[in-house]
């Protein structure tokens, strides 16, 4: 069977020379391929010379302003516009959805909320959209009623009130719409931002490394989007894209396409969030075709125990990776690119069509190479296939005082969940026709897939069949620890040097974990909580098209 994605990556992005496969290769095919809506050549993220837009860096108010939560918030979800593409490609800002609020006399749009661990968070959401919506606080341990479950989606004109204690440790969390069956479209069109939790560990680290939020400590959300010829955001998945996930071909860092950011010779912290609907990134800092070391200090649920130095890491939709990049390892005048390296997307649709789902796309195996352009036009409208290599952010190293700081050897304490005697639950991902399922379920609002005892520790054994695609699996309400990966693909195993098949992004507290085709990932979850009554939460794929198509289940933690 034809493996479309592998074929494309082979032709488009990979040098093919073994270990050099990640090398930056200027894509000839990206210009030759016909079809698709890619009419913004100046923003082609493969071309390094396009990286000229100043990275948007959050300030104290306005769009993505840092809002230190000290009082109840009134948040309004509303349709607005936002200048996404600069220059002649976009004379007018793109329509965009925003969370608006005011706090201490300042106006904010999609504020980066910052709050102390243990503090009370009170907010109301007013739905000023023309369609239903709800906010979910991704990664937070809250009562189910405060979590933004799809059943709490409110109609236009309605309000939803949130009031909970922030029980999570310090870390980089986020919030986004969880509107029933509208999450993908609404999040893509803007309804998402950061929720930063501060604590003693975070302050110690910031002090030791002389980090300042918005200056040397940058929240950085990475997203891929498509735009029309007028520079307006496009979200129009066809049947194929609804099934596999919507991919963009312009890559935004903090909503800046082809962003450049100046750094002085010192350590900077980047709080990376994959806020894309479906794209997985294989991130590396590259100077002249060489991947430079960087240090991972945190994952989804805050700091890991010890800093870990690596040269690359995968980041799937929903995941966060808190990294330190030492710009002093480059010279003033040097350019370092945060890139996504080429990888095998492992989307096996040849087999998918054999199983009955992909009618209309099966005829192309005979057309092979010349048919590639048509394949792309007929299948994914993105000019940037999953697994292609491209740039995300250009760092230009400038002259400046060399700031030398000492990274603490211990960042935090992660207590391992005790799994002796824990019930091991099978979570089987599968595929039927045009949908992906969890334990045979497609999401139904009132259906509870299984119950869990309050206070129980469970091991979930998540298995993805060899035929299909990678799925970033995400749990609401609780965090987990990755125990073990089995039967991982070589591209994962190559970076799995943390025992039990785990790579750096598996360390610490997690709420989202990428499961590759053929792989089994075992995670431990402690269902202890002190909320009154039973708690119904969702567990779903964070490929947002999959989530909306029902790759999601309810589970109930008993009272
Ligand atoms: Cu970030 Cu249910 O999702
Ligand atoms: Cu979530
Ligand atoms: Cu999925």
């Amino acid at each position: 069977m034809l493996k479309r994605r592998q074929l494309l990556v082979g032709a488009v992005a990979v040098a093919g020379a073994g270990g050099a496969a990640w090398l930056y290769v200027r894509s000839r095919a990206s210009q030759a391929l016909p079809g698709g809506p890619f009419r913004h050549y100046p923003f082609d993220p493969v071309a390094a010379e396009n990286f000229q837009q100043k990275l948007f860096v959050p300030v104290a108010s306005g769009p993505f302003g840092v809002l230190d939560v000290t009082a109840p918030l009134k948040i309004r979800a509303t349709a607005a516009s936002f200048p996404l593409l600069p220059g002649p490609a976009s004379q007018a800002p793109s329509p965009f959805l925003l969370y608006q609020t005011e706090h201490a006399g300042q106006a904010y749009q999609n504020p980066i909320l910052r709050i102390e661990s243990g503090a009370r968070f009170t907010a109301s959401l007013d739905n000023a959209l023309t369609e239903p919506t709800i906010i979910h606080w991704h990664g937070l341990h809250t009562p189910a009623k405060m979590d933004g479950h799809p059943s709490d989606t409110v109609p236009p004109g309605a309000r939803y009130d949130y009031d909970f204690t922030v029980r999570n440790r310090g870390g980089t969390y986020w919030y986004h719409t969880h509107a029933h069956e509208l999450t993908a479209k609404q999040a893509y069109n803007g309804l998402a931002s950061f929720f930063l939790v501060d604590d003693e560990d975070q302050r110690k680290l910031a002090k030791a490394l002389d980090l300042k939020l918005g200056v040397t400590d940058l929240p950085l959300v990475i997203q891929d989007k498509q735009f029309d010829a007028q520079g307006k955001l496009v979200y129009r998945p066809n049947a194929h894209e609804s099934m596999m996930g919507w991919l963009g071909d312009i890559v935004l860092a903090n909503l800046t396409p082809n962003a450049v950011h100046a750094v002085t010779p010192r350590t900077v912290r980047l709080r990376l969030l994959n806020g894309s609907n479906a794209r997985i990134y294989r991130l590396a800092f590259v100077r002249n075709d060489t991947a430079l070391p960087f240090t991972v200090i945190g994952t989804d649920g805050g700091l890991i125990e010890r800093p870990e130095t690596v040269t690359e890491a995968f980041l799937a939709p929903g995941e966060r990776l808190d990294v330190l990049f030492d710009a002093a390892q480059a010279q003033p005048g040097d350019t370092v690119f945060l890139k996504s390296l080429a990888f095998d997307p492992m989307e096996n649709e040849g087999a998918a069509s054999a199983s009955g789902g992909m009618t209309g796309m099966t005829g192309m195996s005979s057309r092979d190479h010349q048919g590639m352009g048509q394949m792309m036009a007929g299948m994914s409208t993105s000019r940037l296939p999953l697994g292609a290599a491209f740039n995300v952010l250009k760092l230009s190293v400038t002259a400046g005082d060399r700031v030398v700081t000492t990274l603490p050897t211990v960042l935090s304490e992660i207590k391992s969940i005790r799994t002796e005697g824990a019930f091991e639950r099978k979570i089987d991902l599968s595929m039927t026709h045009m949908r992906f399922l969890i334990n045979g379920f497609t999401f139904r609002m009132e259906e509870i897939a299984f119950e869990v005892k309050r206070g129980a520790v469970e091991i979930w054994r998540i298995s993805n069949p060899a035929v299909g695609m990678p799925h970033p699996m995400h749990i609401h309400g609780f965090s987990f620890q990755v125990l073990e990966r089995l039967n991982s693909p070589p591209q994962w195993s190559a970076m799995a040097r943390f025992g039990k098949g785990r790579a750096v992004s598996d360390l610490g507290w997690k709420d989202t974990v990428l499961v590759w085709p053929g792989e089994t990932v075992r995670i431990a979850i402690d269902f202890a909580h002190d909320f009154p009554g039973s708690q119904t939460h969702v567990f779903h794929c964070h490929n947002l098209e999959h989530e909306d198509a029902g790759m999601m289940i309810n589970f109930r933690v008993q009272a």
Side-chain angles (χ1 to χ4, degrees):
M1 283 294 171
L2 174 70
K3 288 177 107 182
R4 169 182 69 100
R5 300 293 199 179
Q6 287 187 1
L7 177 76
L8 282 177
V9 168
V12 174
V14 182
W22 57 267
L23 286 179
Y24 172 61
V25 176
R26 183 72 169 85
S27 162
R28 281 173 297 137
S30 75
Q31 294 157 65
L33 287 168
F38 196 96
R39 288 189 286 270
H40 304 287
Y41 183 72
F43 301 108
D44 176 358
V46 177
E49 62 271 22
N50 289 341
F51 280 68
Q52 292 176 18
Q53 275 72 236
K54 218 164 159 261
L55 174 73
F56 180 84
V57 170
V59 290
S61 63
F64 297 87
V66 177
L67 189 165
D68 282 301
V69 182
T70 55
L73 293 176
K74 283 165 83 82
I75 300 172
R76 226 171 129 251
T78 184
S81 61
F82 200 79
L84 290 168
L85 293 190
S90 172
Q91 296 309 327
S94 174
F96 203 67
L97 305 180
L98 287 169
Y99 294 118
Q100 298 179 332
T101 193
E102 276 168 30
H103 188 262
Q106 302 282 344
Y108 296 84
Q109 300 86 41
N110 280 2
I112 295 177
L113 301 175
R114 185 166 61 172
I115 193 163
E116 181 70 15
S117 177
R120 180 170 170 190
F121 178 78
T122 308
S124 60
L125 167 69
D126 280 301
N127 182 0
L129 304 172
T130 55
E131 57 186 31
T133 199
I134 192 71
I135 297 177
H136 163 57
W137 316 96
H138 179 127
L140 296 192
H141 178 56
T142 70
K145 270 293 158 204
M146 296 294 118
D147 174 73
H149 187 280
S151 64
D152 291 322
T153 303
V154 294
R159 168 177 289 192
Y160 196 88
D161 288 309
Y162 297 94
D163 188 359
F164 57 87
T165 300
V166 176
R167 292 157 204 261
N168 292 67
R169 57 205 292 269
T172 304
Y173 306 90
W174 61 304
Y175 65 102
H176 59 81
T177 170
H178 222 285
H180 183 51
E181 293 177 342
L182 294 168
T183 295
K185 186 183 83 170
Q186 290 183 2
Y188 178 87
N189 283 315
L191 293 183
S193 188
F194 287 91
F195 193 105
L196 307 181
V197 177
D198 230 341
D199 66 4
E200 218 27 70
D201 285 344
Q202 296 280 342
R203 271 188 294 274
K204 255 198 288 181
L205 179 75
K207 189 156 184 247
L209 294 175
D210 177 40
L211 298 174
K212 196 162 175 287
L213 189 66
V215 184
T216 48
D217 171 356
L218 294 181
L220 196 83
V221 54
I222 306 172
Q223 294 164 313
D224 58 329
K225 310 239 187 233
Q226 290 193 28
F227 291 86
D228 68 12
Q230 281 74 48
K232 308 267 187 294
L233 265 181
V234 170
Y235 184 73
R236 246 189 327 255
N238 58 31
H240 165 79
E241 290 162 326
S242 299
M243 182 181 182
M244 306 304 286
W246 174 254
L247 297 172
D249 38 32
I250 293 184
V251 176
L252 308 179
N254 287 354
L255 295 179
T256 315
N258 308 135
V260 55
H261 184 65
V263 286
T264 54
R266 55 157 292 146
T267 292
V268 288
R269 174 183 187 177
L270 298 175
R271 304 180 188 231
L272 305 171
L273 159 64
N274 183 346
S276 310
N277 281 32
R279 186 178 294 278
I280 298 161
Y281 299 83
R282 181 182 167 197
L283 296 172
F285 292 87
V286 178
R287 180 187 52 184
N288 302 331
D289 294 346
T290 302
L292 301 176
F294 62 96
T295 303
V296 174
I297 53 169
T299 54
D300 297 347
L303 298 175
I304 56 178
E305 277 195 305
R306 283 179 300 276
E308 300 289 356
T309 298
V310 297
T311 53
E312 56 176 291
F314 278 104
L315 193 67
E319 283 188 306
R320 285 86 72 207
L321 203 64
D322 214 322
V323 308
L324 300 174
F325 178 72
D326 181 8
Q329 64 186 308
Q331 300 302 316
D334 278 359
T335 294
V336 177
F337 275 96
L338 174 61
K339 303 176 70 81
S340 186
L341 310 179
F343 63 93
D344 178 355
M346 300 189 73
E347 292 182 310
N348 192 333
E349 291 162 39
S353 44
S355 75
M358 307 292 288
T359 25
M361 295 162 196
T362 48
M364 61 212 16
S365 50
S366 56
R367 290 206 297 271
D368 278 352
H369 295 83
Q370 322 98 292
M372 253 172 55
Q374 284 153 281
M375 276 172 57
M376 286 193 74
M379 298 180 85
S380 176
T381 53
S382 167
R383 294 279 302 250
L384 199 62
L386 188 63
F390 55 88
N391 302 295
V392 174
L393 169 67
K394 174 175 164 176
L395 296 172
S396 10
V397 183
T398 62
D401 284 343
R402 239 191 112 98
V403 179
V404 182
T405 50
T406 312
L407 180 60
T409 51
V410 175
L411 300 170
S412 187
E413 192 195 354
I414 309 279
K415 285 206 190 76
S416 294
I417 297 176
R418 297 185 59 112
T419 54
E420 300 85 41
F423 172 66
E424 183 147 344
R425 188 182 293 282
K426 277 172 64 87
I427 306 274
D428 289 321
L429 312 181
S430 63
M431 178 171 59
T432 158
H433 302 290
M434 297 292 275
R435 275 168 197 271
F436 293 98
L437 312 175
I438 304 173
N439 280 357
F441 289 92
T442 287
F443 186 70
R444 298 229 310 265
M445 198 65 92
E446 301 306 326
E447 189 170 48
I448 309 285
F450 51 81
E451 300 217 332
V452 166
K453 288 202 189 72
R454 178 197 283 255
V457 169
E458 293 203 355
I459 295 171
W460 288 10
R461 183 186 179 89
I462 312 170
S463 297
N464 193 359
V467 167
M469 59 183 292
H471 300 285
M473 301 307 297
H474 168 59
I475 190 171
H476 282 216
F478 296 87
S479 300
F480 56 81
Q481 293 174 355
V482 179
L483 299 175
E484 182 176 23
R485 286 179 180 265
L486 302 160
N487 199 30
S488 304
Q491 62 190 6
W492 185 274
S493 303
M495 51 179 97
R497 53 175 184 77
F498 297 92
K500 306 265 186 194
R502 295 173 309 158
V504 72
S505 50
D506 292 325
L507 302 179
W509 286 100
K510 295 284 294 174
D511 55 60
T512 308
V513 68
L514 182 58
V515 189
W516 294 92
E519 196 179 32
T520 292
V521 180
R522 293 173 71 242
I523 62 175
I525 317 171
D526 182 349
F527 287 100
H529 68 84
D530 53 12
F531 310 132
S534 67
Q535 305 290 322
T536 299
H537 282 291
V538 288
F539 172 70
H540 65 85
C541 180
H542 219 287
N543 175 315
L544 296 182
E545 282 71 33
H546 290 184
E547 175 189 335
D548 280 353
M551 193 180 185
M552 174 157 76
I553 52 172
N554 281 311
F555 66 92
R556 181 156 59 206
V557 184
Q558 293 165 348

